[in-house]
Amino acid sequence: MDIRRVARDERADFAAFLATLPPPQWQAATLCAGWRVRDVAAHVISYDELGLRELLGYAARGRFWSSRINAIALARFQALTPEELLALLMARLEPRGLPAALGCRVALVECVIHHQDVRRALGQPRTVPPERLVTALRWAMIGPDIGGLWRTRGVRVVATDVGFAAGAGPVVHGPAEALLMTIAGRRGVARELSGPGQQKLASRVDLG
């Protein structure tokens, strides 16, 4: 699978969805705690144009805490209108910089999760292409920026709609998208899962 192409397609789908939203919905809350739709849209591309020196500078200013670093990266987008943010996203469909790391897997996983952050919050579900979900799940299980390795320790997660299973322990099973969002720490999604390991996984998400 051409991950770069798939990552670009995911960004294009996200941009197409955002283009359908009226301005008030860009101010709506999302599943990503503390972020509005406009913040999520900006975050998806907020690292594309940063060089190594800028990244290190952001990390130092944020004391190497991801939430603080993200806030610093988002600050330069705060004055932009939804139309301007959408135009930037359309101009940056091809991942660059940090999001292009690991063959663009970082960009793909970030966009799949954040696309769902917005859609779920607005009550506008979609069917995520299976190849995107499987790739996203694989990275979410090990990616240090997502925290899935900690949340899923001691359980086995099994997708019931795509070919994915990982981990060892009591089984947690359900739709791949719900597994992904739970592994990514989105509260309330674990209720869509089941199995003897569900309570253990859900409690870790609730604890943040």
Side-chain angles (χ1 to χ4, degrees), residues 27-144:
Q27 303 298 327
T30 71
L31 264 63
C32 196
W35 283 2
R36 301 161 295 173
V37 171
R38 61 168 292 121
D39 301 318
V40 171
H43 172 72
V44 166
I45 55 170
S46 62
Y47 291 93
D48 280 50
E49 305 301 316
L50 299 182
L52 180 59
R53 178 178 294 182
E54 291 169 303
L55 283 171
L56 291 175
Y58 280 29
R61 289 168 57 195
R63 299 181 182 179
F64 299 93
W65 283 82
S66 60
S67 59
R68 294 173 181 170
I69 298 168
N70 285 334
I72 293 168
L74 281 177
R76 67 188 192 279
F77 296 93
Q78 292 305 310
L80 300 183
T81 65
E83 292 79 9
E84 290 169 331
L85 287 171
L86 183 58
L88 275 180
L89 179 55
M90 290 297 297
R92 299 179 184 176
L93 296 182
E94 190 79 27
R96 289 173 285 184
L98 182 61
L102 300 174
C104 288
R105 284 172 176 79
V106 172
L108 175 60
V109 175
E110 286 281 318
C111 197
V112 170
I113 292 172
H114 289 312
H115 193 163
Q116 295 308 110
D117 282 333
V118 174
R119 281 187 172 272
R120 277 178 167 269
L122 296 180
Q124 299 195 44
R126 66 163 177 157
T127 299
V128 184
E131 68 274 13
R132 301 182 198 177
L133 278 173
V134 172
T135 301
L137 276 165
R138 286 174 178 161
W139 176 251
M141 291 291 293
I142 61 173

